[in-house]
Amino acid sequence: MLYAIFCYNDEDVVFSWTKEQDDAVMTKLSTVHQKLAKNGKLGPAVRLMPTTAATTVRKDQEPPLVLDGPFAETKEQLLGFYVVDCAQLEEAIEFARDLARVNPGGAYEIRPVRLYLPGSDMSERP
Amino acid sequence: MSDPDLSWIEQALTAARPQAIGALLRYFRNLDTAEEAFQEACLRALKHWRENGPPRDPAAWLIFVGRNVAIDTARRRGREEALPPDEVISDLDDAERALAERLDDTHYRDDILRLLFICCHPDLPATQQIALALRIVSGLSVSEIANAFLVSEAAMEQRITRAKRAVAQAGVPFEAPGAPERASRLGAVAAMIYLLFNEGYSSSHGEVPLRAPLCAEAIRLARLLLRLFPSEPEIMGLLALLLLQHARAAARFDADGQIVLLEEQDRSLWNRDQIAQALALIDKAMRHNRPAPYQVQAAIAALHARAARPQDTDWAQIDSLYAVLERMQPSPVVTLNRAVAVAKVRGAAAALEMIEPLAARLSGYFHFFGVKGAFLMQLGRAEEARNAFGRAISLAHTAAEAAHIRMHLDRLMKESRAEAGAAEKSS
């Protein structure tokens, strides 16, 4: 089963990290990633810019309304996500626990994936 | 709080600070009371959160606890002092009821905006505005701020106390602002954040580690402001501008502490992450079709950031953006900057002609003579160039600035010696 793991955290905190703090967390996270990656279970992973860079298109009206900012104002913001291939939910939760150990604060939301389209490989793009 | 396990508490307290102090200030209408209440709430948070984990909404927790603590203190002091009149703690009922719904957007926004705004009262000189904002909004300690300003702790303490007194005397505007008032507060706060950034940016090499946090703090405040006012293109422009300038920080000085000019910087040291964020913000701002100075300056900085090599820089576009900025915000400094682009597009003679009328107004400005000297040097007018560089050195603020100009002078000297040598040989 494919799961998407959405990463929520307080962006005021995360984007106040110094480069050294940020690098330290990323290094620790990449060690955790390796556990899944070496078994070919880690799919695309994305880290997002802060919600101040977000634009929302509200399509509940015609024509749709373009708004600055994220879809929802929340205490913790969606800051990234993973796609992972896990035999059971328990394995995905275990991965989230491992991530949480090196990057505390906020929450991970685990959602089974209904449709997965790999698209083009964009890893070389800035 | 050096225990690494507790760093999350410290970070959460810092992140919640503007909102919590802003709300406490609305309740108590006194900056000192609000600050004391917040400090006390932080002490309790350290104990409580460590034992029970973080609350769902740290800011709400701190506001609630801080408010109760301050009321208790006021009641206890009540024996000696009269209790504050009811209207002073006006919103208390409202706050009690609404711990859950308290995150009313308008309150939240206006609380933080008010807190920032009182720091940039027009009566306060710029350095006091910045110091006050760093102390109250950012929560930097007096000694940290003193270090960043390169003054003694006692001097900084005095500066902040004086600023607080001025603010208290001026009276804090507590009524919910109307749209024009909100817009004018926003403008004042944006200007203060820009000043704060420049305070950190205009450091020479030896001071960089001390002053770089000012730049990071300015970016944090700009981002906070944009989250409060997500559809203000000029705040997007401000944040983009700060990010673009900060992105070059690692390339601005060489190993010996000498200034490295934009064109000579190692562009691989530029922070691509910050540049990408800035470009995304400029994209968003442009959609609003309301160009204003920060957006234009950000667009200029973006043209530099987009050029993979110095020779790829679109100087013609930079020239025309400076022309737009000159119309919006006429200033000799803007014209001087434009002249640098003009020199690239139309040559040093045209650029020199452009800056000559500025001489009277910029007679005390280091960069004027630095730029003028460079144009004269390009035109082969060595003697005049030497004079201009000499003036620049006498006006330099930092050792790095002076050293940079001296490098030009040395080059001129070598050239003239080489010429003299060549002349001797040919004679």
Side-chain angles (χ1 to χ4, degrees):
Chain A
M1 174 78 82
L2 293 185
Y3 292 90
I5 299 182
F6 298 98
C7 317
Y8 289 86
N9 210 337
D10 184 340
E11 67 181 358
D12 283 352
V13 171
V14 172
F15 285 92
S16 297
W17 285 344
T18 62
K19 193 178 178 308
E20 292 70 33
Q21 287 171 313
D22 199 280
D23 289 348
V25 172
M26 293 311 283
T27 307
K28 283 191 254 175
L29 283 174
S30 78
T31 315
V32 178
H33 299 164
Q34 283 311 311
K35 277 166 80 179
L36 281 191
K38 67 172 193 270
N39 300 320
K41 292 178 163 198
L42 184 65
V46 164
R47 191 175 181 197
L48 299 171
M49 287 190 193
T51 58
T52 43
T55 304
T56 301
V57 179
R58 288 234 58 123
K59 58 193 177 72
D60 49 5
Q61 50 189 297
E62 190 47 47
L65 190 60
V66 181
L67 297 167
D68 292 297
F71 160 62
E73 282 293 345
T74 45
K75 284 308 292 172
E76 282 126 352
Q77 293 78 25
L78 178 64
L79 299 184
F81 61 85
Y82 298 91
V83 176
V84 296
D85 181 9
C86 294
Q88 303 98 17
L89 174 61
E90 203 47 51
E91 194 183 347
I93 292 176
E94 196 46 48
F95 179 57
R97 282 202 186 103
D98 287 346
L99 293 170
R101 231 165 269 136
V102 298
N103 184 18
Y108 292 109
E109 176 182 328
I110 301 169
R111 288 267 286 274
V113 170
R114 187 173 166 198
L115 170 68
Y116 175 72
L117 299 170
S120 313
D121 180 3
M122 297 181 177
S123 48
E124 292 308 311
R125 305 212 189 156
Chain B
M1 267 194 282
S2 52
D3 184 346
D5 292 330
L6 293 179
S7 67
W8 66 268
I9 297 188
E10 201 175 354
Q11 286 169 0
L13 293 177
T14 306
R17 183 181 175 101
Q19 193 195 339
I21 294 201
L24 291 166
L25 179 65
R26 172 159 48 84
Y27 298 145
F28 297 111
R29 315 217 155 180
N30 177 299
L31 204 46
D32 287 328
T33 314
E35 264 196 299
E36 279 163 27
F38 179 76
Q39 289 307 336
E40 191 55 41
C42 286
L43 289 177
R44 295 189 188 201
L46 276 176
K47 180 174 182 298
H48 211 267
W49 298 3
R50 191 176 345 182
E51 285 161 11
N52 305 318
R56 262 201 75 72
D57 184 344
W61 193 99
L62 291 163
I63 294 165
F64 190 72
V65 171
R67 197 182 57 88
N68 287 342
V69 168
I71 292 171
D72 281 352
T73 313
R75 289 207 179 110
R76 250 181 286 120
R77 282 183 193 156
R79 289 188 201 116
E80 301 113 58
E81 303 164 29
L83 267 174
D86 276 354
E87 64 268 22
V88 171
I89 36 180
S90 57
D91 282 338
L92 289 192
D93 291 346
D94 172 48
E96 201 119 40
R97 192 172 354 106
L99 183 60
E101 57 176 286
R102 200 195 28 74
L103 280 177
D104 164 17
D105 272 352
T106 329
H107 258 188
Y108 166 63
R109 275 178 14 165
D110 288 336
D111 280 350
I112 297 182
L113 184 59
R114 180 187 302 112
L115 189 64
L116 284 160
F117 180 67
I118 62 169
C119 299
C120 40
H121 192 279
D123 290 352
L124 296 180
T127 48
Q128 282 190 23
Q129 295 185 9
I130 300 169
L132 198 58
L134 288 172
R135 179 70 206 98
I136 294 173
V137 186
S138 310
L140 265 60
S141 71
V142 173
S143 81
E144 282 173 308
I145 304 171
N147 278 341
F149 276 87
L150 315 170
V151 300
S152 75
E153 200 172 327
M156 184 48 72
E157 182 79 60
Q158 201 182 21
R159 195 182 290 182
I160 291 173
T161 310
R162 217 178 292 139
K164 274 189 183 170
R165 203 182 309 133
V167 163
Q169 276 163 5
V172 181
F174 280 101
E175 66 288 355
E181 172 64 16
R182 191 176 285 140
S184 101
R185 286 186 191 185
L186 198 54
V189 169
M192 184 270 288
I193 293 175
Y194 189 58
L195 279 174
L196 168 59
F197 183 87
N198 279 325
E199 191 66 35
Y201 195 70
S202 63
S203 42
S204 66
H205 178 73
E207 302 158 354
V208 169
L210 294 175
R211 316 208 86 193
L214 297 184
C215 293
E217 193 53 36
I219 288 173
R220 199 174 79 92
L221 291 179
R223 197 172 273 138
L224 172 70
L225 204 58
L226 184 56
R227 280 187 65 199
L228 299 177
F229 300 92
S231 47
E232 283 298 331
E234 197 51 349
I235 306 301
M236 298 174 199
L238 172 67
L239 178 55
L241 176 61
L242 303 190
L243 286 167
L244 286 166
Q245 293 189 349
H246 199 46
R248 302 198 287 256
R252 286 180 62 220
F253 297 96
D254 67 15
D256 302 324
Q258 305 296 326
I259 293 177
V260 183
L261 284 190
L262 186 58
E263 287 183 64
E264 285 146 22
Q265 286 175 8
D266 175 357
R267 297 184 178 219
S268 70
L269 296 176
W270 290 2
N271 185 326
R272 292 288 145 195
D273 194 39
Q274 286 175 335
I275 291 173
Q277 252 185 65
L279 296 181
L281 287 165
I282 292 172
D283 248 14
K284 280 180 62 170
M286 300 258 280
R287 289 194 63 257
H288 289 263
N289 242 328
R290 279 163 51 203
Y294 293 127
Q295 292 172 68
V296 177
Q297 291 173 76
I300 292 169
L303 286 170
H304 288 298
R306 281 181 201 273
R309 299 167 307 165
Q311 58 267 41
D312 301 331
T313 311
D314 186 348
W315 287 106
Q317 184 66 21
I318 291 177
D319 176 23
S320 56
L321 282 169
Y322 270 122
V324 172
L325 192 60
E326 263 184 320
R327 279 197 296 279
M328 281 176 180
Q329 210 176 42
S331 118
V333 173
V334 172
T335 307
L336 182 65
N337 285 327
R338 185 179 174 196
V340 175
V342 165
K344 300 283 182 190
V345 183
R346 285 183 270 146
L352 194 61
E353 195 180 321
M354 189 172 205
I355 66 164
E356 251 146 22
L358 311 176
R361 279 176 296 167
L362 295 180
S363 62
Y365 191 55
F366 163 79
H367 288 291
F368 175 74
F369 293 100
V371 167
K372 186 179 175 187
F375 291 163
L376 288 165
M377 195 163 72
Q378 284 170 41
L379 292 170
R381 290 156 67 175
E383 189 51 41
E384 292 164 273
R386 253 194 296 275
N387 285 339
F389 287 139
R391 285 293 297 278
I393 287 182
S394 69
L395 292 165
H397 286 295
T398 63
E401 277 180 358
H404 180 72
I405 296 294
R406 235 169 252 125
M407 193 186 73
H408 282 313
L409 276 174
D410 289 349
R411 196 182 297 165
L412 276 174
M413 203 76 88
K414 252 180 244 152
E415 277 165 17
S416 69
R417 246 185 262 125
E419 270 166 32
E424 265 167 39
K425 266 179 213 156
S426 65
S427 63

